[in-house]
Amino acid sequence: MKHDKAALKQAGLTLSEDGRVCCYWQPSMPDYHDNEWGRPVVDDRRLFEKVCLEGFHSGMSWQLIYNKRENFRRAFADFDFHQVATFTKDDVARLMADKSIVRNRAKILSTINNAQRAIELLNEAGSLAEWFWQFAPGPDARPEIIDLAYWQQTKTSPEAIKMSKALKKRGWTWVGPVTAYSLMQALGLVNDHLTGCECRRAVEAAREKACLPCANQHELTSYSEKE
């Protein structure tokens, strides 16, 4: 099928190398766009990783953080939060000397702090996924069309604000409302692939197949409602 490239560009879409219609940023991170972003994450370690990397992403290019991800995994014990929670001043010094990651002391300390808070949250909710997935918005809270204008206007959401407040109350750091919404996108709590992007359908199919925590979250009194 022949596509009007000018029309695609205006809609925030582009063609992948193999001719698929995708979000405009797909060529810069094709594997992340096609196989990871927006797909549901229910593994606690990978979820914690995304929380940490979104914190490092704050004020920086996501592509930079993504390109350093394997280095972050090596430096932070593959984001095993039980191990990271035990990091000491010597580990902080080691990380600050590691040129392969982002050497931001506040964000490094935040990662260690958040690992300690993650253990507390695990004891509270049974799993990190169970707690975070309560913030997935219901279908009625999402627009029918995810277009470029929506992307440009939407930096956070009511659910992301609730998540941010709930995390901050529990002592988590670098989890502001904008970061929380970016995290929701990365975890698959929302599917923000643009309407017309072929990955959007694949993400929806993955969500339907996944055994998601809090599947009946909108019928429950969630942790956030107890705040």
Side-chain angles (χ1 to χ4, degrees), residues 54-203:
E54 288 297 341
F56 276 99
H57 172 210
S58 180
M60 305 189 74
S61 158
W62 172 248
Q63 188 171 6
L64 174 79
I65 301 302
Y66 178 71
N67 288 342
K68 291 177 176 288
R69 183 164 66 172
E70 291 304 322
N71 299 330
F72 277 109
R73 287 173 172 170
R74 173 189 48 75
F76 286 99
D78 197 25
F79 291 100
D80 179 343
F81 50 89
H82 292 281
Q83 289 192 47
V84 177
T86 67
F87 278 15
T88 65
K89 292 181 180 179
D90 289 341
D91 290 295
V92 174
R94 168 181 61 83
L95 294 165
M96 286 298 295
D98 190 342
K99 296 180 180 180
S100 71
I101 64 170
V102 173
R103 294 180 292 174
N104 181 305
R105 181 177 294 274
K107 292 181 179 181
I108 289 170
L109 292 173
S110 174
T111 302
I112 298 170
N113 169 75
N114 289 349
Q116 296 164 355
R117 305 291 78 76
I119 294 173
E120 295 170 355
L121 192 56
L122 187 69
N123 293 331
E124 174 187 347
S127 76
L128 300 189
E130 187 74 23
W131 191 87
F132 276 87
W133 271 90
Q134 69 176 303
F135 296 96
D140 293 342
R142 298 285 293 161
E144 291 185 10
I145 303 295
I146 305 294
D147 58 14
L148 191 57
Y150 178 81
W151 261 19
Q152 292 170 340
Q153 296 167 5
T154 305
K155 304 302 180 184
T156 188
S157 70
E159 295 83 6
I161 292 170
K162 288 181 181 179
M163 177 194 289
S164 174
K165 288 181 177 179
L167 287 170
K168 288 180 178 180
K169 184 173 182 179
R170 288 164 173 78
W172 293 62
T173 51
W174 289 92
V175 286
V178 174
T179 297
Y181 188 72
S182 184
L183 179 62
M184 290 175 69
Q185 294 173 314
L187 293 176
L189 272 65
V190 296
N191 179 4
D192 270 357
H193 282 276
L194 289 171
T195 298
C197 172
E198 294 188 24
C199 285
R200 183 170 179 79
R201 293 194 299 270
V203 166

Side-chain angles (χ1 to χ4, degrees), residues 47-59:
L47 189 154
F48 178 70
E49 172 186 304
K50 288 185 180 292
V51 174
C52 297
L53 293 183
E54 288 297 341
F56 276 99
H57 172 210
S58 180

Side-chain angles (χ1 to χ4, degrees), residues 30-41:
D31 186 60
Y32 183 69
H33 173 276
D34 294 352
N35 302 310
E36 188 171 347
W37 193 68
R39 294 178 185 262
V41 176

